[in-house]
């Protein structure tokens, strides 16, 4: 059919005719106008052979119709990133900008997610002296991995170099180290975005736990005070999504799943599996609970630290409410500061008509009223 030598037609049903398919043989030399019509009963039977099984649990990613026109810009940009030392900062920024515009598409996200290319981007995030390049490289990584589990799998599975040796991608560790050393507020937010997308697999989640990522984020959370609370908001959402909100987690380790919905004080003592200490789950929970006081303090000092927008405060409040929902309200799991209780009571006092509050744009108060039963200790 594809060659044009044969065409398929369907007879239009009419009086006394059957609705059937026919095959029309077209002349191969153009010298004759005659055609041969073969009845449906004479046409070759369709193959009954089943299609090959799809062993890819992630499913196929379709090639976009724009792929042909985007191939050259993508290839050119990748060549600059992989050989970054040979190019100026201006060329690198242009290449990263081109990639960022492409890798939102799952197909191109998958194409950039090879060990060599991701390592080249991580190298820029970690070592570039230009904050614009660090920010853009992190944005490309995060955009490529967002909602693209196949790209994440390709990234962390590794690949073979020319000599046959496997290329290791230390995704989570490199991003955390870069985050610790980042001094630019905008770049810090982009690295946090990349980390949020990179943790969404069983293996990268375990990597994050193994290198004590929760404590690292807690330290950074407490130090961040120059960006109007944006970083605190990002970290709050990260903690909520990956450790407090069971609906948001992806492929968590089995032990972590077993702890879901169990009050913290009911989990002790945890019994390790034979020959395998179960200390990690307990330690992870303890580290998460260490966020309880800093979350309260962030809300208490929000105005002092320039957190004036409701969006950031809502993110912090959501994490605190999720923590108390999961692990229990108040002492000893998440002890309230007396100042916080007084502050929170003031936030929910006065007008409580949600329609009126919505009309006035009081979004934080609306959210505070929604979680008051979780946070208010009677």
């Amino acid at each position: 059919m594809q060659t044009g030598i044969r065409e398929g037609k369907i007879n239009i049903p009419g009086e006394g005719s059957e609705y059937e398919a026919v095959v029309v043989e077209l002349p191969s030399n153009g010298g004759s106008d005659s055609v041969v019509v073969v009845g449906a009963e004479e046409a070759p039977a369709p193959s009954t052979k089943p299609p090959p099984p799809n062993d890819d649990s992630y499913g196929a990613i379709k090639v976009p119709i724009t792929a042909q026109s985007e191939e050259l810009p993508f290839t050119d940009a990748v060549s600059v990133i992989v050989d970054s030392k040979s190019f100026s900062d201006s060329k690198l920024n242009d290449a990263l900008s081109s990639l960022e515009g492409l890798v939102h598409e799952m197909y191109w996200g998958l194409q950039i997610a090879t060990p060599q290319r991701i390592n080249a981007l991580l190298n820029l995030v970690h070592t570039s002296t230009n904050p614009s390049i660090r920010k853009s490289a992190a944005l490309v990584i995060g955009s490529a991995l967002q909602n693209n589990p196949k790209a994440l799998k390709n990234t962390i599975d590794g690949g073979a170099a020319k000599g046959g040796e496997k290329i290791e991608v230390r995704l989570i560790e490199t991003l955390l180290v870069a985050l610790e050393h980042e001094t630019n507020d905008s770049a810090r937010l982009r690295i946090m975005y990349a980390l949020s997308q990179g943790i969404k697999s069983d293996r990268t989640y375990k990597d994050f736990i193994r290198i004590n990522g929760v404590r690292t984020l807690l330290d950074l959370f407490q130090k961040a005070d120059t960006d109007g609370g944006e970083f605190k908001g990002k970290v709050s959402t990260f903690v909520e999504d990956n450790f407090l909100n069971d609906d948001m987690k992806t492929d968590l380790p089995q032990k972590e799943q077993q702890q879901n919905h169990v009050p913290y004080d009911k989990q002790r003592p945890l019994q390790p599996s034979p020959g395998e200490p179960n200390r990690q789950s307990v330690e992870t929970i303890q580290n998460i609970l260490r966020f309880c006081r800093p979350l309260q303090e962030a809300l208490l000092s929000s105005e002092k630290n320039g957190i004036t927008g409701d969006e950031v405060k809502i993110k912090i409040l959501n994490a605190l409410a999720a923590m108390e929902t999961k692990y229990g309200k108040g002492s000893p799991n998440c002890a309230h500061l007396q100042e916080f209780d007084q502050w929170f009571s003031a936030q929910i006092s006065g007008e409580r008509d949600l329609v009126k509050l919505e009309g006035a744009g009081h979004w934080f108060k609306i959210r505070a009223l929604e979680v008051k039963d979780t946070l208010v200790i009677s």
Side-chain angles (χ1 to χ4, degrees):
M1 299 290 183
Q2 292 176 339
T3 62
I5 300 302
R6 309 182 75 189
E7 289 185 358
K9 292 181 65 177
I10 297 178
N11 285 346
I12 298 175
E15 294 183 6
S17 66
E18 297 290 334
Y19 190 69
E20 59 182 13
V22 297
V23 176
V24 181
E25 298 285 356
L26 299 179
S28 58
N29 55 14
S32 170
D33 293 333
S34 62
V35 297
V36 179
V37 179
V38 183
E41 67 280 1
E42 302 176 46
S47 173
T48 57
K49 184 178 179 180
N54 182 8
D55 295 328
D56 187 350
S57 59
Y58 295 96
I61 293 179
K62 295 181 179 179
V63 180
I65 58 176
T66 55
Q68 187 172 1
S69 62
E70 293 168 342
E71 178 72 33
L72 184 58
F74 177 84
T75 303
D76 287 346
V78 167
S79 66
V80 172
I81 301 306
V82 171
D83 189 23
S84 60
K85 292 183 179 180
S86 301
F87 296 92
S88 66
D89 283 1
S90 177
K91 286 286 188 183
L92 283 170
N93 269 319
D94 288 344
L96 289 167
S97 178
S98 178
L99 288 175
E100 198 279 323
L102 290 170
V103 298
H104 288 285
E105 170 68 51
M106 292 184 70
Y107 173 79
W108 292 117
L110 184 60
Q111 304 312 306
I112 199 70
T114 68
Q116 182 189 27
R117 293 168 179 177
I118 292 294
N119 275 340
L121 289 165
L122 287 171
N123 180 61
L124 292 174
V125 173
H126 185 52
T127 66
S128 176
T129 58
N130 187 327
S132 177
I133 289 176
R134 298 195 300 270
K135 176 182 73 173
S136 296
L139 181 58
V140 171
I141 294 173
S143 299
L145 300 183
Q146 184 176 20
N147 298 322
N148 198 343
K150 193 170 185 178
L152 180 56
K153 181 178 185 298
N154 276 16
T155 294
I156 60 179
D157 278 355
K162 290 183 179 180
E165 184 179 351
K166 190 174 182 180
I167 303 174
E168 182 182 10
V169 179
R170 300 169 75 173
L171 178 66
I172 301 300
E173 183 175 351
T174 305
L175 290 173
L176 271 176
V177 171
L179 202 58
E180 286 185 279
H181 292 89
E182 186 55 65
T183 58
N184 180 271
D185 289 338
S186 183
R188 185 186 295 114
L189 292 175
R190 295 305 189 188
I191 298 171
M192 191 66 217
Y193 166 62
L195 183 66
S196 298
Q197 305 310 316
I199 197 178
K200 297 187 183 300
S201 77
D202 179 70
R203 175 175 158 187
T204 51
Y205 177 90
K206 289 177 178 177
D207 287 344
F208 184 82
I209 296 297
R210 176 179 53 80
I211 60 179
N212 217 352
V214 178
R215 291 299 296 269
T216 299
L217 286 187
L218 177 59
D219 291 342
L220 294 172
F221 180 94
Q222 293 175 300
K223 294 174 183 177
D225 58 3
T226 60
D227 65 350
E230 290 291 333
F231 183 74
K232 290 182 186 292
K234 295 285 187 186
V235 173
S236 298
T237 299
F238 180 94
V239 170
E240 180 189 1
D241 287 351
N242 294 291
F243 297 95
L244 301 173
N245 187 340
D246 300 333
D247 294 334
M248 295 295 293
K249 293 195 283 286
T250 305
D251 297 332
L252 290 190
Q254 187 63 33
K255 288 180 184 176
E256 294 290 337
Q257 293 176 7
Q258 291 171 353
Q259 301 300 319
N260 292 343
H261 303 299
V262 181
Y264 182 55
D265 57 352
K266 301 297 185 184
Q267 293 175 6
R268 295 185 178 184
L270 291 175
Q271 297 298 321
S273 302
E276 180 183 359
N278 202 0
R279 183 178 61 86
Q280 177 177 294
S281 291
V282 175
E283 183 178 345
T284 299
I285 294 168
Q286 290 173 336
N287 284 334
I288 290 298
L289 285 168
R290 287 189 174 96
F291 268 93
C292 183
R293 178 166 181 156
L295 289 170
Q296 295 175 61
E297 292 173 337
L299 289 171
L300 277 170
S301 60
S302 57
E303 292 185 10
K304 177 183 175 182
N305 291 332
I307 305 177
T308 56
D310 282 358
E311 183 179 354
V312 170
K313 290 195 291 185
I314 288 172
K315 290 176 180 178
I316 298 172
L317 180 65
N318 283 344
L320 182 60
M323 183 176 297
E324 300 206 11
T325 297
K326 187 175 180 68
Y327 295 124
K329 179 165 54 178
S331 181
N333 296 333
C334 186
H336 277 203
L337 300 169
Q338 183 178 356
E339 301 93 320
F340 176 79
D341 283 341
Q342 294 171 349
W343 177 87
F344 187 76
S345 295
Q347 304 307 303
I348 59 175
S349 64
E351 181 62 65
R352 293 196 174 193
D353 187 308
L354 297 183
V355 175
K356 291 181 179 179
L357 290 172
E358 183 176 345
H362 295 314
W363 306 111
F364 178 76
K365 183 168 185 176
I366 291 173
R367 185 57 183 152
L369 287 169
E370 289 173 345
V371 300
K372 67 180 178 63
D373 291 338
T374 300
L375 293 177
V376 175
I377 300 175
S378 55

